Amino acid sequence: IEKSGGCGIPDAEDFICIARLHPRPTFVPQLAFLTPQVETSKIRTEKGSAFIDFPVNVTAIHKEFSNNVIELNKIIETINTVKNDSNVSITRISIHGYASPDGPLQLNERLARERTLKEYVSQLYPFDGKYIHTTYTPEDWEGFEALLSDTTFQDKEAIMKIVTSNMHPDRKEEIIRMRFPAFYRFVLKHWFVILRHSDYTVEYHVRPFTIEESQKVFDTNPKNLSLEEMFRLALTYTPGSATYNKIFMTAVQLFPDNPTANLNAACIALIQKDTKTAAVFLEKAPPLPETTLAKGVLCFLQGNFKEAEALFRQSKDAGLLQADDNLKQILEVK
């Protein structure tokens, strides 16, 4: 409806209204998702650390000593979580024992070797001995260095030079104790106790799932699904639906470094016009025509039509039909 000015001539406001009758076409990006490779053997892990306290020079575990009940329950709960899942089978339990840097290296080597919790775990579970593997670090100087890196105080650089030097561990401890007595008293009370720990990894094999089974597993424990199983599950939903998008985004969270997962997640972000998130995922996408196509869509959404057109033409030459549709849409907005 035109609003007339003097003598029936439309005023300037009416020209603006008429222009709005022909808005720029909405860009509907056409993208190409990648089908993940089948994961022939699904191996998963659960990891944790138990900070078991031992009386001085003792290697036997005293369950009621200090906070040991809580710490021992950590590894028990981890093993039980895996063991009680009918879809998986435990293939290996690895335990790495650490002793703190205080005291003679020779003594600490024995303590670390004998404090790996292997005997404790073996008593609780009827695992074949071959399933439990143990290693040890006599003195956790790496852990000491990590704690030191997160601390700010005047003598930090001087102590760090000692910690990272190639001198004998006993000599390192002696110099720190003699030159920085106040600092040594602090770490003796607060740091060494957390540098005596056992890191454990429960490795297990997960059986394959049908599409119907995958839905239940996705709702309860998506980590047990392969990337390919999640992809097949997503295809049972309407593209762009909340569940469809959620599956692809969960996949990239569980497989953050997988190129296919990153490309597919970028496609979801681009469909939602979320250019910032898409750009992050595309950094890990594979060097394939599908990624070129997605980068073209990203450029288009950012207003870089020239670069978008070039990328679309590259992906079209590579055989992607979606690129042709995107090129047609570019012509409508140029």
Side-chain angles (χ1 to χ4, degrees):
I1 298 174
E2 290 189 353
K3 179 179 177 183
S4 299
C7 301
I9 301 174
D11 59 23
E13 180 182 357
D14 297 295
F15 288 103
I16 296 174
C17 293
I18 292 171
R20 288 175 180 167
L21 294 176
H22 303 283
R24 173 179 291 180
T26 300
F27 177 55
V28 180
Q30 300 299 308
L31 295 145
F33 287 73
L34 278 180
T35 302
Q37 293 183 343
V38 176
E39 192 174 353
T40 55
S41 181
K42 292 191 292 181
I43 301 298
R44 302 289 185 267
T45 59
E46 295 291 341
K47 300 181 179 182
S49 293
F51 298 89
I52 309 301
D53 239 342
F54 295 85
V56 177
N57 295 338
V58 173
T59 59
I61 294 176
H62 292 247
K63 190 173 180 180
E64 304 303 325
F65 185 72
S66 188
N67 202 39
N68 285 354
V69 171
I70 294 176
E71 293 300 315
L72 289 170
N73 279 339
K74 289 181 180 179
I75 187 170
I76 293 173
E77 290 174 2
T78 301
I79 294 175
N80 285 345
T81 297
V82 178
K83 185 173 178 290
N84 295 334
D85 188 339
S86 60
N87 294 317
V88 312
S89 55
I90 294 177
T91 56
R92 179 187 180 101
I93 296 177
S94 302
I95 306 173
H96 191 107
Y98 293 84
S100 56
D102 53 318
L105 176 63
Q106 186 175 2
L107 172 62
N108 287 336
E109 184 170 8
R110 180 180 69 84
L111 295 176
R113 182 177 63 251
E114 297 178 12
R115 288 176 175 178
T116 60
L117 305 183
K118 180 177 181 178
E119 184 177 345
Y120 179 78
V121 172
S122 299
Q123 290 174 349
L124 291 176
Y125 301 95
F127 293 131
D128 189 309
K130 67 181 182 180
Y131 285 109
I132 305 178
H133 299 258
T134 61
T135 51
Y136 65 92
T137 297
E139 297 184 352
D140 190 6
W141 284 101
E142 282 191 13
F144 189 100
E145 182 182 346
L147 291 170
L148 187 60
S149 296
D150 289 337
T151 306
T152 302
F153 63 100
Q154 185 176 358
D155 298 317
K156 176 179 176 177
E157 290 188 12
I159 297 174
M160 183 65 80
K161 287 182 180 179
I162 299 170
V163 171
T164 57
S165 70
N166 294 324
M167 69 178 68
H168 191 278
D170 288 349
R171 181 58 178 159
K172 290 183 185 180
E173 184 202 358
E174 179 185 14
I175 293 175
I176 294 173
R177 185 178 68 249
M178 298 298 292
R179 293 185 185 176
F180 311 98
F183 172 77
Y184 186 83
R185 288 193 297 271
F186 171 81
V187 298
L188 188 64
K189 181 178 180 180
H190 298 285
W191 286 8
F192 287 159
V193 66
I194 60 177
L195 293 177
R196 303 173 199 131
H197 56 103
S198 292
D199 293 351
Y200 53 88
T201 300
V202 181
E203 182 183 278
Y204 55 97
H205 176 265
V206 186
R207 71 174 181 86
F209 299 108
T210 64
I211 292 179
E212 291 73 19
E213 291 172 326
S214 294
Q215 180 61 73
K216 182 177 180 181
V217 176
F218 181 79
D219 293 335
T220 57
N221 191 8
K223 183 179 180 180
N224 281 349
L225 292 174
S226 69
L227 192 59
E228 187 264 344
E229 286 169 334
M230 281 189 277
F231 183 84
R232 286 192 292 113
L233 177 61
L235 295 183
T236 65
Y237 291 89
T238 303
S241 65
T243 305
Y244 180 88
N245 295 344
K246 179 181 179 181
I247 293 173
F248 281 109
M249 287 307 181
T250 300
V252 79
Q253 290 171 8
L254 294 175
F255 300 90
D257 296 318
N258 184 282
T260 297
N262 276 276
L263 173 61
N264 290 342
C267 289
I268 295 296
L270 290 169
I271 291 171
Q272 297 174 330
K273 310 295 176 66
D274 183 353
T275 56
K276 184 176 180 181
T277 300
V280 174
F281 289 137
L282 285 174
E283 290 180 0
K284 293 184 178 181
L288 295 173
E290 289 81 358
T291 297
T292 302
L293 180 73
K295 289 181 177 179
V297 171
L298 177 63
C299 288
F300 187 103
L301 294 175
Q302 292 173 333
N304 188 348
F305 301 141
K306 183 177 180 180
E307 180 64 19
E309 183 176 356
L311 292 170
F312 289 154
R313 293 196 182 282
Q314 287 182 37
S315 48
K316 179 183 178 180
D317 292 340
L320 293 183
L321 299 178
Q322 296 89 339
D324 196 43
D325 190 87
N326 288 338
L327 284 168
K328 292 177 182 178
Q329 295 189 70
I330 272 196
L331 295 176
E332 294 177 0
V333 300
K334 287 178 69 174

